[in-house]
Amino acid sequence: MTEISQHRPYPAAKVPGWDFETDVAVIGFGATGACAAIEAADAGARVMLFERNSGSGGASGLSGGEIYIGGGGGTDAQRAAGFEDSTEDFTAYLKLAGGPCVDEAKCELYGREALNHYAWLKAQGVPYRGNYLPGKLIEPTDDSTLIWSGSEAAAPFCDLAKPAPRGHVIQHMGWGGGRPLVDVLEASARAKGVEVVTDARALALVQDGARIVGLVVRIDNQPRFVKAAKGVVLATGGFVFNADMRRKHCPDTFKLNDPIGDKDDGLGIELGLGAGGEAIHMDQFFTTCPWTMPESHAYGAFVNTKGQRFINEDCYHGRVSRCAVDQPGGKVYLLLDNAHFVQPMDFARMRIAGTGETWEEVEAELELPQGTLGATMAVYNEHARQGRDPLFDKRPPILVPLDQGPFIALELDFHDSYFSFFTLGGLKTSTDGEVLDRSGRPIPGLFAAGRCTSGLPAWGHGYSSGMSLADCTFFGRQAGRKAAGA
């Protein structure tokens, strides 16, 4: 038998016989794979879904279940809370959040279709309470729907797109709404006749000429050949657990110690590359430290090991964290006064590094260069009392003077504090989920969506909570529909 390798497709002429035959084969049973399977089945295709684990989940199942939705005048939850959200503002924010890595066509398509996607999610059975929970939050503490989940109200985003909260969270009590979200999508897929095969690891794609016509999976430690008459959809996640890929493409992640994912080993990316695809923005990653828990800490100011601020702290907690990791010295400090300090959450692994009756005393305890932190905070407080931040454009109501002693500096060490992270780069795809080669042409029969692609959440400095699930559910649907019609 010809050697089976994920780095190049297996020739169809060498297949000894097909163990399974279907129209569309989906690899990976997280939210991406479920949505691709549902859409392909609705288009009339026979669908088989292969999952290496013993059940559904993926990185989606580990998430908070939050999906970034807006535009079209606003969702029911946005309108009920008094927020209007035009398609133009929503799309503009998506593009700004993509930064130098933006895929404008994907932003424009999702900007137009987000409300329809919201209706589709509800039609699958995803429940939403429909209410708004104000504040600077990471996830709702109850079953609320709508929260601020990005940098919408912070500069420079708020000057270029009218702010509105867009994080829509599944109705679910407690943390971890991603698991019930995947459960709903799984139930919908199974009800539509999708055949699910678990404990089946993809080994290689199968190619006939230029076209991908199937895949090889390992079941019970034996290779099994799957014929996919219309196409294969990759829904396999990112590469946060592949140290070699991270070292080559995303070395800054080695500053951090808390990866998030579910066997995200880059398999789908490597399968796509072997078939002639192109991987883009592989250096991009998301990270965050939960420094806004408790919420009063959101009013603090950050400095690096030189005693200098580096960001407007009213933006999204992940944007602050990602910019923090760019700073020298391996750590940053969150500065708080007595009016805003609360003991940090234990799991954040943030320690009190310095205290004092003046900021100069804190500076001395941190062993910062004399005159640095004291000057930084003198300038900060002087302008904060005027409601201004001429250096970084932080704005009220988050902008407040930190002048009520005693004063505290919390240390966020990149290596020791809890900085969760995952990769964002992946295969280049069309808006229909077609895997593209280096010339921009679709590879016949091969589709991909979710974190194994570069999608809506393309730039770590512009990420907003809910963008990954928005990307994987919507473009998973696109890939499934396109594959079914191939």
Side-chain angles (χ1 to χ4, degrees):
M1 180 181 291
T2 300
E3 180 186 357
I4 297 173
S5 170
Q6 65 194 42
H7 298 289
R8 62 180 182 275
Y10 193 88
K14 299 293 182 66
V15 173
W18 298 108
D19 299 286
F20 304 96
E21 295 192 29
T22 189
D23 292 326
V24 176
V26 180
I27 308 174
F29 201 2
T32 307
C35 289
I38 291 168
E39 202 69 64
D42 278 346
R46 296 173 299 157
V47 184
M48 294 188 72
L49 199 159
F50 296 89
E51 166 59 45
R52 71 169 73 180
N53 292 321
S54 297
S56 64
S60 304
L62 301 173
S63 73
E66 183 177 347
I67 301 180
Y68 202 78
I69 304 169
T75 65
D76 50 4
Q78 287 177 311
R79 295 193 306 272
F83 295 99
E84 292 184 7
D85 193 12
S86 72
T87 298
E88 292 75 19
D89 285 318
F90 180 54
T91 303
Y93 182 82
L94 292 174
K95 290 182 178 181
L96 289 166
C101 308
V102 66
D103 186 321
E104 294 199 358
K106 288 182 179 178
C107 292
E108 289 168 3
L109 177 62
Y110 186 64
R112 294 191 302 269
E113 292 296 325
L115 287 194
N116 290 333
H117 184 53
Y118 185 48
W120 183 89
L121 290 165
K122 290 182 176 181
Q124 307 314 306
V126 180
Y128 292 101
R129 179 179 166 191
N131 68 308
Y132 166 59
L133 185 64
K136 193 79 167 174
L137 309 167
I138 292 180
E139 286 186 33
T141 55
D142 58 13
D143 62 348
S144 294
T145 296
L146 182 65
I147 65 171
W148 293 93
S149 67
S151 299
E152 301 88 355
F157 304 91
C158 63
D159 295 325
L160 300 169
K162 182 180 177 181
R166 301 186 179 108
H168 288 69
V169 186
I170 184 173
Q171 186 172 3
H172 170 72
M173 292 299 294
W175 293 83
R179 181 66 259 178
L181 174 67
V182 173
D183 288 342
V184 169
L185 296 173
E186 175 178 358
S188 177
R190 290 184 182 274
K192 295 175 185 296
V194 173
E195 183 179 350
V196 177
V197 182
T198 58
D199 300 304
R201 177 183 171 84
L203 299 178
L205 299 171
V206 177
Q207 190 172 43
D208 187 359
R211 186 177 183 85
I212 299 301
V213 297
L215 68 148
V216 188
V217 296
R218 185 174 63 222
I219 300 174
D220 294 331
N221 210 31
Q222 295 294 322
R224 305 296 184 189
F225 294 87
V226 182
K227 182 178 182 180
K230 293 180 177 292
V232 174
V233 179
L234 304 173
T236 53
F239 60 97
V240 74
F241 290 118
N242 187 319
D244 289 339
M245 289 182 72
R246 283 172 53 205
R247 194 170 289 110
K248 178 179 180 180
H249 300 291
C250 207
D252 278 354
T253 59
F254 284 94
K255 298 177 182 179
L256 313 172
N257 269 333
D258 293 279
I260 293 180
D262 179 22
K263 297 184 176 68
D264 288 39
D265 61 1
L267 171 65
I269 298 172
E270 293 186 333
L271 290 173
L273 289 173
E278 181 181 10
I280 58 175
H281 309 312
M282 293 287 282
D283 60 327
Q284 292 299 314
F285 65 97
F286 163 87
T287 186
T288 195
C289 184
W291 61 273
T292 57
M293 297 172 63
E295 189 179 348
S296 64
H297 287 189
Y299 294 83
F302 272 96
V303 295
N304 59 24
T305 56
K306 305 298 183 182
Q308 300 170 330
R309 289 178 65 218
F310 53 86
I311 189 69
N312 52 319
E313 298 91 349
D314 57 338
C315 59
Y316 173 62
H317 54 84
R319 177 172 167 84
V320 173
S321 300
R322 182 64 189 85
C323 290
V325 173
D326 292 335
Q327 302 304 305
K331 65 181 71 173
V332 294
Y333 301 105
L334 173 60
L335 307 179
L336 297 159
D337 66 358
N338 191 53
H340 297 92
F341 173 75
V342 179
Q343 192 68 29
M345 305 288 284
D346 288 342
F347 80 92
R349 306 196 298 269
M350 297 158 49
R351 71 178 188 90
I352 297 176
T355 60
E357 294 299 324
T358 66
W359 283 116
E360 286 75 15
E361 290 182 13
V362 176
E363 172 186 286
E365 279 209 14
L366 297 178
E367 299 182 344
L368 297 180
Q370 185 175 358
T372 54
L373 184 64
T376 291
M377 293 311 295
V379 170
Y380 179 87
N381 284 330
E382 177 186 355
H383 290 104
R385 294 184 192 103
Q386 304 167 18
R388 300 190 304 119
D389 176 15
L391 296 181
F392 294 97
D393 207 12
K394 184 177 181 179
R395 302 187 184 187
I398 301 296
L399 174 65
V400 296
L402 300 171
D403 56 5
Q404 300 183 45
F407 304 105
I408 302 98
L410 291 174
E411 181 181 294
L412 284 70
D413 184 284
F414 308 150
H415 187 270
D416 296 328
S417 298
Y418 181 76
F419 278 84
S420 59
F421 69 97
F422 51 77
T423 58
L424 295 174
L427 296 170
K428 186 176 184 180
T429 55
S430 72
T431 56
D432 286 325
E434 302 158 302
V435 176
L436 305 178
D437 65 19
R438 290 185 178 274
S439 66
R441 293 190 298 264
I443 297 171
L446 186 60
F447 308 86
R451 199 161 285 158
C452 67
T453 71
S454 178
L456 292 177
W459 184 43
H461 296 76
Y463 193 91
S464 295
S465 287
M467 280 192 173
S468 282
L469 283 179
D471 179 71
C472 77
T473 56
F474 180 77
F475 289 100
R477 292 178 58 204
Q478 293 289 103
R481 185 187 309 117
K482 186 68 174 180

